[in-house]
């Protein structure tokens, strides 16, 4: 559960990244594909998997925008993420194990690009991504 302190850090951070969703999202996805190549199998239409690839940029943008959009809903993530949870849990059926892999790639990407690298930010980002992926995994069964 996110503490008030965690929420404050996350709100600040999501505000900062809202204009960089494409660059950050593409890098996070490229890290996922590089470190865990088996994840490429979920994206059969992609012809390239680097951060410069058009489809990687587009999808990365979508994912990071979805994270930025949680900013006004940190107290109500289950309701806010319900549709996305349905998409992943009933339609895409991405093995939920991959959410953890992707969360780590997102966390590394944020740390690489943002000034805030304190233990408190690290912890808040970790808890936030854990909460989001818990919700995205919630409708698998
Ligand atoms: C689609 C977010 C994790 C695979 C999407 C979409 C969003 C999204 C916003 C577009 C939904 C729509 O079109 O209605 C997220 C978030 C994640 C996450 C916030 C975790 C932080 C993952 C992981 C995988 C994955 C780990 C697989 C390794 C897909 C696929 C699609 C998709 C295959 C459909 C792509 C397409 O339509 O071309 N995701 N996702 N997602 N996601 Fe996720």
């Amino acid at each position: 559960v996110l503490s008030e302190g965690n929420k404050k850090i996350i709100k600040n951070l999501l505000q900062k990244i809202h204009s960089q969703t494409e660059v950050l999202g593409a890098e996070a996805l490229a890290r996922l594909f590089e470190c865990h190549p088996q994840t490429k199998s979920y994206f059969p239409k992609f012809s390239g998997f680097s951060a410069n690839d058009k489809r990687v940029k587009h999808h990365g943008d979508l994912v990071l925008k979805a994270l930025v959009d949680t900013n006004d809903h940190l107290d109500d993530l289950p309701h806010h993420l319900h549709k996305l949870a349905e998409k992943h849990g009933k339609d895409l059926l991405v093995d939920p194990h991959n959410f953890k892999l992707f969360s780590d790639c997102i966390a590394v990407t944020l740390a690489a690009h943002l000034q805030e690298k304190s233990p408190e930010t690290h912890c808040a980002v970790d808890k936030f991504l854990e909460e989001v992926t818990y919700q995205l995994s919630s409708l698998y069964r």
Side-chain angles (χ1 to χ4, degrees):
V1 179
L2 296 172
S3 69
E4 289 310 310
N6 295 148
K7 285 183 208 161
K8 212 171 145 193
I9 290 171
I10 294 301
K11 279 181 175 295
N12 221 324
L13 188 145
L14 292 177
Q15 255 166 32
K16 276 199 183 125
I17 65 170
H18 98 278
S19 59
Q20 308 169 58
T21 48
E22 186 179 279
V23 168
L24 298 176
E27 181 175 321
L29 271 180
R31 288 180 186 275
L32 179 73
F33 296 140
E34 183 70 27
C35 297
H36 309 286
Q38 72 277 16
T39 57
K40 294 178 187 176
S41 63
Y42 291 106
F43 300 90
K45 289 184 191 150
F46 285 19
S47 48
F49 294 91
S50 79
N52 295 322
D53 187 84
K54 205 173 141 224
R55 281 179 187 268
V56 175
K57 280 190 192 169
H58 176 72
H59 191 67
D61 190 41
L62 275 183
V63 173
L64 268 272
K65 278 204 164 82
L67 293 181
V68 167
D69 285 348
T70 64
N71 207 358
D72 292 329
H73 306 277
L74 293 179
D75 291 321
D76 189 20
L77 286 178
H79 178 244
H80 179 69
L81 291 173
H82 186 80
K83 270 191 114 164
L84 208 49
E86 276 196 323
K87 174 100 186 170
H88 285 80
K90 306 238 179 269
D91 181 11
L92 298 167
L93 297 177
V94 170
D95 184 329
H97 167 70
N98 292 302
F99 292 132
K100 174 66 182 145
L101 302 179
F102 192 34
S103 292
D104 288 347
C105 294
I106 294 172
V108 168
T109 303
L110 294 177
H113 285 264
L114 296 175
Q115 294 299 321
E116 299 84 348
K117 302 177 201 286
S118 68
E120 290 76 14
T121 299
H122 183 160
C123 176
V125 168
D126 200 46
K127 285 176 75 176
F128 168 65
L129 292 171
E130 201 172 77
E131 188 94 10
V132 169
T133 61
Y134 177 78
Q135 294 309 331
L136 293 189
S137 314
S138 64
L139 296 178
Y140 275 75
R141 61 177 185 172

